[in-house]
Amino acid sequence: MAENGTDCEQRRVGMAKEQNNGSFQDPSFLSDRKSRDREERQSIVLWRKPLITLQYFILEVLITLKDWSIRLWHRRMMVVSVLLLLAVLSVAYYIEGTHQQYVQYVEKKCLWCAYWVGLGILSSVGLGTGLHTFLLYLGPHIASVTIAAYECNSVNFPEPPYPDEIICPDEEGTEGAISLWTIISKVRLEACMWGAGTAIGELPPYFMARAARLSGVETDDEEYAEFEEMLEHAQTAQDFATRAKLAVQNLVQKVGFLGILACASIPNPLFDLAGITCGHFLVPFWTFFGATLIGKAIIKMHIQKLFVIITFSKHIVEQMVSLIGVIPSIGPSLQKPFQEYLEAQRKKLHHKEDSGAPQSENWLSWAFEKLVIIMVFYFILSIINSMAQSYAKRVQQRKLSVEKTK
């Protein structure tokens, strides 16, 4: 009797396990489960669940630091080589000698390039949302150089204080000496470095899709899962967004280098899909990155530079300010702060600021500064939320694997 009872209990456990496994093999069940898990993760944000979000964010940071520590330990010979190189450079940096002028020049250029490359990476990587560094940093820098060039009739701004501050040289150029190409050449380095940073920021989707294809393991990335689902239902796609994504995917897949170059050379919000497509179809790394680098750092950046320079050229700015005054009722009141701002910039460029008189802050510069602060703050919040949701995904996957083994 005892043996019969034990057999019955084992059969019940086996049937329950088979039923459970059958549920996990049901596509509709898995789809519903993923949808619920996704909704649960998306609810983990600072303004809804601040304590849980901060806790998950800290745990994800610790896991990330642990993973990177293990990777660095596995590449310890390379780490030691880099540290030795840095030690040699530090010795050369601090020892006095005639080489210091070259050291200072190289340091200044490297820091300037690293600054713009970093902003470019932030713009395209974003960890969930990109920081629009072109609108916040590079665009205003190009606009400032353009306005100063037309006002000073020269781009030979004194260094220092350039690039931290722009002032006219003591010997100003002749009227009409500034051309479009002169301004493009002045801002070419920072623009190309920013473009190179955006190209580097496009690598994570490529590597993720490539690793998933080579390993054959189902990835946890939602964008890649959407990409595979889009490929499965390519023939029945009806909406415009899906057809646009399929057009990018077909262009990249069939044309190759030139297709990637075309997608990277124009402002394209779907370029992440190009990276995923290249990784999924195992396009060689240098084919993908070379085309992306040329497109973003050279072709696209010159298009964007031309747009900003033409928009902020002297006659266009004056026409825009005069057109603002034509607006009925509110035109003159809107025109005044723009005129005051432009006049203040002209005085600053010609060293005509009265140091004794208190400077009243223009509301345009005040509003732009606050906009930058708000966008940077939102970017930091998005990083915290994204990392907290990544840890929540780890918890859900661990729970799902435990349920499958029961």
Side-chain angles (χ1 to χ4, degrees):
M1 294 290 292
E3 291 179 359
N4 291 335
T6 305
D7 292 340
C8 290
E9 183 65 26
Q10 289 177 351
R11 280 197 296 270
R12 277 198 299 270
V13 172
M15 290 174 63
K17 184 179 291 189
E18 289 178 3
Q19 185 177 3
N20 193 33
N21 292 336
S23 298
F24 284 110
Q25 292 173 0
D26 184 10
S28 61
F29 175 82
L30 289 175
S31 178
D32 293 341
R33 179 65 178 265
K34 286 182 179 180
S35 299
R36 289 197 303 270
D37 288 347
R38 189 182 300 113
E39 291 176 0
E40 183 181 345
R41 287 197 306 270
Q42 291 174 351
S43 67
I44 300 177
V45 289
L46 278 170
W47 46 89
R48 290 184 182 177
K49 301 176 181 178
L51 295 179
I52 294 177
T53 304
L54 289 174
Q55 179 189 0
Y56 282 9
F57 166 71
I58 294 171
L59 292 173
E60 182 67 17
V61 167
L62 294 175
I63 291 174
T64 304
L65 290 175
K66 179 185 174 182
D67 291 342
W68 277 101
S69 300
I70 294 172
R71 292 181 183 180
L72 291 175
W73 175 252
H74 289 158
R75 296 169 175 80
R76 51 188 176 274
M77 293 304 297
M78 184 182 69
V79 173
V80 171
S81 302
V82 172
L83 291 176
L84 289 175
L85 178 62
L86 291 176
V88 172
L89 293 176
S90 299
V91 171
Y93 182 80
Y94 287 106
I95 290 179
E96 296 294 334
T98 56
H99 67 285
Q100 281 298 321
Q101 57 179 335
Y102 303 106
V103 170
Q104 292 175 2
Y105 176 80
V106 171
E107 178 192 17
K108 179 181 177 182
K109 288 297 181 183
C110 288
L111 290 176
W112 185 240
C113 292
Y115 172 75
W116 289 110
V117 169
L119 288 177
I121 294 173
L122 286 176
S123 181
S124 56
V125 171
L127 294 177
T129 179
L131 181 64
H132 302 292
T133 52
F134 182 84
L135 295 176
L136 296 179
Y137 297 98
L138 183 58
H141 173 71
I142 297 173
S144 299
V145 171
T146 302
I147 294 172
Y150 282 108
E151 181 63 29
C152 304
N153 295 310
S154 172
V155 293
N156 299 318
F157 309 125
E159 300 183 30
Y162 182 84
D164 298 323
E165 183 183 359
I166 303 177
I167 57 176
C168 291
D170 295 331
E171 296 181 1
E172 297 185 13
T174 57
E175 185 73 26
I178 293 299
S179 65
L180 196 64
W181 185 253
T182 305
I183 303 174
I184 288 175
S185 301
K186 184 66 177 178
V187 296
R188 180 179 290 118
L189 177 63
E190 45 265 50
C192 289
M193 289 298 104
W194 185 87
T198 61
I200 295 171
E202 300 293 350
L203 293 179
Y206 169 82
F207 284 124
M208 176 271 302
R210 184 180 179 86
R213 180 67 183 272
L214 290 174
S215 64
V217 179
E218 183 181 355
T219 181
D220 301 322
D221 188 84
E222 293 177 4
E223 288 187 358
Y224 185 71
E226 290 177 3
F227 171 75
E228 289 189 321
E229 184 179 353
M230 182 189 71
L231 292 181
E232 292 176 2
H233 302 90
Q235 301 298 327
T236 59
Q238 297 293 332
D239 58 296
F240 175 77
T242 303
R243 288 201 300 268
K245 292 178 181 180
L246 286 170
V248 171
Q249 181 259 324
N250 290 328
L251 179 66
V252 170
Q253 183 183 357
K254 294 179 180 179
V255 185
F257 182 91
L258 294 178
I260 302 168
L261 183 64
C263 290
S265 300
I266 57 174
N268 184 4
L270 301 176
F271 190 78
D272 278 351
L273 188 65
I276 294 175
T277 301
C278 291
H280 180 78
F281 292 104
L282 303 181
V283 173
F285 170 77
W286 286 111
T287 301
F288 169 72
F289 186 65
T292 304
L293 186 63
I294 294 171
K296 285 184 172 290
I298 299 177
I299 301 175
K300 180 181 174 182
M301 270 321 306
H302 277 80
I303 295 173
Q304 290 177 300
K305 275 192 298 183
L306 280 171
F307 176 78
V308 175
I309 292 170
I310 292 172
T311 302
F312 286 90
S313 59
K314 187 175 182 180
H315 63 285
I316 295 293
V317 171
E318 291 175 350
Q319 287 179 2
M320 287 192 296
V321 173
S322 62
L323 287 174
I324 291 174
V326 180
I327 301 175
S329 302
I330 61 172
S333 58
L334 283 176
Q335 188 184 44
K336 184 178 179 181
F338 282 97
Q339 291 175 334
E340 291 176 351
Y341 177 77
L342 291 175
E343 184 62 28
Q345 294 304 308
R346 292 191 182 99
K347 290 182 179 179
K348 189 183 294 184
L349 290 170
H350 292 287
H351 319 280
K352 293 181 180 179
E353 287 185 318
D354 187 2
S355 57
Q359 299 293 324
S360 58
E361 187 177 24
N362 185 275
W363 71 267
L364 286 175
S365 58
W366 179 88
F368 183 75
E369 288 175 2
K370 298 302 178 285
L371 176 64
V372 171
I373 293 172
I374 291 171
M375 294 193 70
V376 171
F377 182 68
Y378 177 74
F379 177 68
I380 295 172
L381 288 181
S382 69
I383 292 175
I384 295 174
N385 292 336
S386 179
M387 296 189 72
Q389 290 169 8
S390 296
Y391 183 80
K393 182 184 286 188
R394 294 177 188 271
V395 174
Q396 290 172 348
Q397 290 170 347
R398 195 158 51 236
K399 182 180 177 182
L400 184 63
S401 62
V402 170
E403 290 177 359
K404 284 183 178 181
T405 57
K406 285 182 178 181

